[in-house]
Amino acid sequence: MRVLVVGGDGYCGWATALYLSEKGYDVAIVDSLIRRHWDLQLGADTLTPIASIGHRVARWHELTGKKIEVFVGDICDYPFVQSFMGKFEPEAILHFGEQRSAPFSMIDREHAVMTQVTNVTGTLNLLFAIREFNKDIHLVKLGTMGEYGQPNIDIEEGYITIRHNGREDRLPYPMQPGSFYHLSKVHDTHNIRFACKIWGLRATDLNQGVVYGVLTDQTGIDEVLVNRLDYDEVFGTALNRFCVQAAIGHPLTVYGSGGQTRSFLDIRDTVRCMEIAVANPAAEGELRVFNQFTEQFSVLDLAMMVKKAGEDAGMQVEVDHVKNPRVEKESHYYNAKNTHLRDLGLVPHCLSESLLTSLLQFAIRYKDRVDKAQIMPTVTWK
Ligand code: NAD
Ligand code: USQ
């Protein structure tokens, strides 16, 4: 099957491209490389030194004999989209290619506008291209668990059945996103659902939780294939940041009380979920929603787990409660469903002390590359 990985130079996309290539899919990558540019603008860098996209795919070819074609360009540019659609003729499009940081979208007006324009336009262009080239192409779109917010009831997978004034309907689950970035994902969801309804497209929205970890069976085989690992305040995410902070002896930055509960998954499960979604396409006219996570933790629980793993390995790890730069609930009910992907065969890698120890060791290996000035939060929601 020909699978196009949009955003294939990024954290989730690169790991997925190699995983599917190894599994025998014919993979092509589309990426504007804008993320590398944003890192430069922010003065931030991944913990790991990542090779150029050309070098990466050439090395993959040398090691495995498998080719991955690369199209460099911006999916907001429709003629570019038409050109790769015509050349590659994908059967599935895995769409990771968005601005994905909540703090980035909250820096100022320009960053909020850029995030929403880029994300919404890119997705709309892919929808129009699928309509133009082949309505059977399955769009697998990365959404986020943060679209739901933290309601005081259980979170369902995309839809909820509601009884109101004696009538009943299955409706899109209410959305309460917590940043201009998370809002962009909600806008995408509405656009995709509408396109499926009016044009009969088939799409899967994967509402993914926070991803952690770095190595997969493919990115771990060679230094040139190593994946990015973000630890900075803008693109770094909770658990990955805590491991890098522990590795350099920086107190772990729990925002506020740390009672914020989120859903999480190992990057090895991200790639498997993508395979499952591609192998089981949505029906014609259907926008299917899967909650893509394996476990739920509060931020403080995560920090305490990193502290314990570090201390068991002979490190000294402090946990700090930093003034919360975000506007978010720090104490709330949280229970999200995640059965659809398991029913289709996902066997989760659960967070264990041995995984944390190996992530800490990985961070220690690269700790001389850490820029301490990138750790404390400066972007605020107010
Ligand atoms: P990333 O920033 O590492 O990768 C995104 C890639 O998309 C980058 O290489 C970037 O250059 C590319 N890109 C962005 N806009 C583009 C455009 N207009 N045209 C072409 N390429 C473009 O992000 P990631 O962590 O790999 O996240 C991938 C997707 O998964 C995002 O949609 C994100 O919202 C979602 N997601 C990520 C996480 C996480 O914890 N990392 C969790 C849930 C959901
Ligand atoms: N947090 C801390 N300390 C830190 C960093 C974060 O306490 O040093 C807290 C935040 O306040 C928040 C929680 O941890 O309550 C998660 O923050 P995060 O930065 O790890 O993740 P988030 O901003 O939600 O965004 C990340 C990805 C995004 C994806 C989302 C999935 O960057 O692309 O959509 O996770 S979810 O959270 O399910 O919406």
Side-chain angles (χ1 to χ4, degrees):
M1 189 194 268
R2 285 185 307 285
V3 176
L4 194 67
V5 181
V6 180
D9 187 47
Y11 175 55
C12 300
W14 175 241
T16 300
L18 295 194
Y19 179 84
L20 294 180
S21 172
E22 185 169 289
K23 291 274 171 188
Y25 289 84
D26 185 357
V27 175
I29 285 175
V30 170
D31 203 297
S32 60
L33 311 181
I34 185 75
R35 181 55 215 287
R36 292 176 185 248
H37 176 70
W38 289 328
D39 283 355
L40 287 172
Q41 277 186 335
L42 293 166
D45 201 358
T46 140
L47 177 75
T48 44
I50 54 171
S52 71
I53 186 66
H55 194 186
R56 281 176 148 187
V57 294
R59 187 74 182 131
W60 178 246
H61 184 228
E62 258 169 47
L63 290 170
T64 64
K66 294 178 187 294
K67 278 204 167 150
I68 297 180
E69 196 173 352
V70 178
F71 300 93
V72 175
D74 184 344
I75 58 164
C76 296
D77 169 11
Y78 196 65
F80 168 66
V81 175
Q82 287 173 308
S83 82
F84 67 68
M85 291 291 284
K87 282 185 198 142
F88 187 66
E89 299 184 350
E91 291 159 271
I93 299 181
L94 310 193
H95 180 20
F96 299 91
E98 297 201 333
Q99 190 304 95
R100 71 107 175 120
S101 156
F104 188 92
S105 74
M106 301 300 292
I107 292 175
D108 55 18
R109 188 197 66 83
E110 280 79 8
H111 288 80
V113 170
M114 202 268 273
T115 298
Q116 293 206 354
V117 170
T118 301
N119 293 358
V120 173
T121 310
T123 298
L124 270 176
N125 278 352
L126 293 179
L127 291 168
F128 272 88
I130 291 171
R131 182 180 79 143
E132 180 182 336
F133 284 84
N134 174 6
K135 283 188 184 173
D136 252 355
I137 295 170
H138 179 203
L139 176 66
V140 181
K141 163 70 173 35
L142 269 292
T144 175
M145 285 302 293
E147 290 180 50
Y148 302 115
Q150 294 79 41
N152 200 30
I153 57 170
D154 292 348
I155 295 173
E156 304 297 324
E157 302 202 50
Y159 298 89
I160 184 167
T161 301
I162 295 179
R163 269 197 84 73
H164 181 65
N165 292 347
R167 300 185 65 82
E168 187 174 288
D169 203 354
R170 181 174 175 264
L171 296 167
Y173 195 92
M175 299 294 190
Q176 302 182 74
S179 73
F180 287 119
Y181 152 71
H182 286 96
L183 273 152
S184 75
K185 294 287 192 185
V186 175
H187 304 327
D188 282 341
T189 302
H190 289 308
N191 286 340
I192 299 169
R193 185 179 292 114
F194 184 68
C196 288
K197 189 169 84 179
I198 59 171
W199 299 330
L201 307 191
R202 47 183 92 229
T204 302
D205 202 355
L206 296 173
N207 282 343
Q208 188 170 232
V210 187
V211 184
Y212 61 82
V214 62
L215 294 177
T216 58
D217 288 346
Q218 297 73 36
T219 60
I221 61 172
D222 190 88
E223 196 73 10
V224 176
L225 303 178
V226 77
N227 206 345
R228 62 163 51 249
L229 187 66
D230 301 308
Y231 68 87
D232 62 286
E233 60 140 333
V234 172
F235 279 100
T237 50
L239 183 54
N240 287 348
R241 260 166 74 71
F242 292 162
C243 288
V244 176
Q245 291 165 357
I248 60 162
H250 191 290
L252 309 191
T253 55
V254 170
Y255 295 166
S257 69
Q260 307 92 304
T261 301
R262 297 288 182 274
S263 8
F264 291 82
L265 75 164
D266 187 307
I267 190 157
R268 293 172 296 175
D269 290 334
T270 292
V271 300
R272 171 73 180 128
C273 290
M274 302 313 298
E275 180 187 21
I276 290 172
V278 169
N280 300 278
E284 190 181 317
E286 181 190 21
L287 167 61
R288 191 176 57 168
V289 182
F290 294 165
N291 289 346
Q292 182 166 313
F293 72 94
T294 58
E295 295 175 283
Q296 298 177 177
F297 300 101
S298 77
V299 175
L300 184 59
D301 284 348
L302 278 185
M304 296 314 286
M305 288 165 81
V306 172
K307 180 177 166 68
K308 177 164 188 317
E311 289 178 345
D312 288 350
M315 299 159 70
Q316 205 181 335
V317 184
E318 299 302 325
V319 174
D320 203 2
H321 288 270
V322 174
K323 186 176 181 319
N324 197 334
R326 306 185 182 198
V327 177
E328 60 183 0
K329 292 180 193 165
E330 291 180 11
S331 169
H332 57 89
Y333 177 77
Y334 194 80
N335 185 37
K337 304 277 175 67
N338 63 348
T339 53
H340 292 347
L341 283 159
R342 285 170 196 247
D343 289 348
L344 289 170
L346 174 67
V347 181
H349 292 87
C350 290
L351 186 57
S352 62
E353 179 148 337
S354 67
L355 185 272
L356 284 173
T357 309
S358 66
L359 199 48
L360 285 167
Q361 280 162 355
F362 186 87
I364 289 170
R365 196 161 121 214
Y366 293 99
K367 75 181 171 84
D368 291 344
R369 287 176 48 85
V370 174
D371 175 0
K372 290 188 180 149
Q374 296 294 335
I375 289 185
M376 291 304 281
T378 59
V379 179
T380 63
W381 262 226
K382 288 256 168 147

